[in-house]
Amino acid sequence: MKKQTVLITGANKGIGLETARQLATAGYHIYLGARDKERGDKAVAELHAEGLTDVEFLQLEVTSEESAQAAYHTLAASIDHLDVLINNAGIPGSFPQPALNTADEIFREVFEVNVIGVARIARIFVPLMQNAPNPRIVNVTSDLGSLTLHSDASWRHYEVKTAAYGPSKSALNNYTIALAYELKDKFKVNAVNPGYTKTDFNGNQGYKSVEEGAAPIVKYAMIDKDGPTGGYFSDYGVTPW
């Protein structure tokens, strides 16, 4: 039986790399997307050294239309369909991000990657997923995108307010709803929150391991045709919008 194929953006380190590792271990063929070839090749070599040889590097910069189109044509020339797309690439932007004093360029930089980049990759790669028997898209989000949690003074991260990063994930969540609706006849599209995971992304301050952070992403990447769509999930179940 032919292995299912997965494209993961921003997968050369952290949660993205661990997601690649777990899915490769589960028997998927991974296209490890990264903008830097040297780092991408190094990540692939690391997984190959672990015996996970069904992993290939795919050069992909989510903020570049040219790069994304080139990556699409590379995949389309070698496979007849893509089964799973995981939009993992994301940036926090410079901190702190006070509501009244965050520079315009920080908003642009964060939204360009976290929202526009995801929409670009979906637009370009969904056509390659149309022939998949059970196409799935996972948009990696954050609980900092939850308006409900941000309004709850008892929430453990209530005081973590970011003018650009959190709102970018709220926008990503809303985009996920729109995309899931548009693709509702066949696709499963969900936003998945890995939780506060210890990675370079947050200066290794998280309380979850990368193995724990990747687990819910892997779970929703592997759902069957009866799985949910248009949801916002984490390892503890449904995250409130």
Side-chain angles (χ1 to χ4, degrees), residues 57-69:
F57 169 64
L58 183 68
Q59 191 155 23
L60 175 57
E61 167 55 74
V62 302
T63 63
S64 167
E65 180 76 15
E66 182 181 8
S67 174
Q69 290 286 358

Side-chain angles (χ1 to χ4, degrees), residues 207-226:
Y207 50 77
K208 296 179 69 175
S209 67
V210 288
E211 292 82 4
E212 292 170 325
I217 299 170
V218 170
K219 175 181 177 180
Y220 288 95
M222 295 175 65
I223 58 176
D224 60 23
K225 293 181 179 180
D226 295 324

Side-chain angles (χ1 to χ4, degrees), residues 35-181:
R35 62 182 179 179
D36 185 278
K37 186 177 187 305
E38 182 178 353
R39 292 176 182 176
D41 286 340
K42 182 180 178 181
V44 168
E46 179 181 331
L47 295 179
H48 284 190
E50 297 171 11
L52 301 172
T53 57
D54 278 312
V55 182
E56 299 180 46
F57 169 64
L58 183 68
Q59 191 155 23
L60 175 57
E61 167 55 74
V62 302
T63 63
S64 167
E65 180 76 15
E66 182 181 8
S67 174
Q69 290 286 358
Y72 168 81
H73 289 295
T74 296
L75 278 194
S78 60
I79 57 176
D80 59 8
H81 71 266
L82 178 68
D83 293 286
V84 183
L85 170 62
I86 300 177
N87 286 304
N88 170 74
I91 61 170
S94 300
F95 282 91
Q97 292 176 6
L100 293 178
N101 197 30
T102 293
D104 292 355
E105 57 265 29
I106 300 301
F107 282 96
R108 293 191 185 99
E109 178 185 36
V110 171
F111 273 75
E112 180 64 42
V113 177
N114 296 358
V115 185
I116 300 172
V118 171
R120 174 180 291 112
I121 297 304
R123 169 173 51 82
I124 291 172
F125 284 91
V126 159
L128 189 57
M129 304 180 74
Q130 294 287 359
N131 291 330
N134 177 31
R136 289 94 74 198
I137 297 175
V138 174
N139 293 331
V140 179
T141 185
S142 168
D143 50 7
L144 292 179
S146 169
L147 303 184
T148 300
L149 292 177
H150 268 301
S151 301
D152 180 358
S154 67
W155 181 42
R156 67 187 303 173
H157 301 303
Y158 178 71
E159 296 182 358
V160 183
K161 299 290 191 275
T162 55
Y165 177 70
S168 78
K169 292 301 187 178
S170 299
L172 174 61
N173 290 347
N174 203 323
Y175 174 75
T176 300
I177 294 172
L179 183 63
Y181 179 79

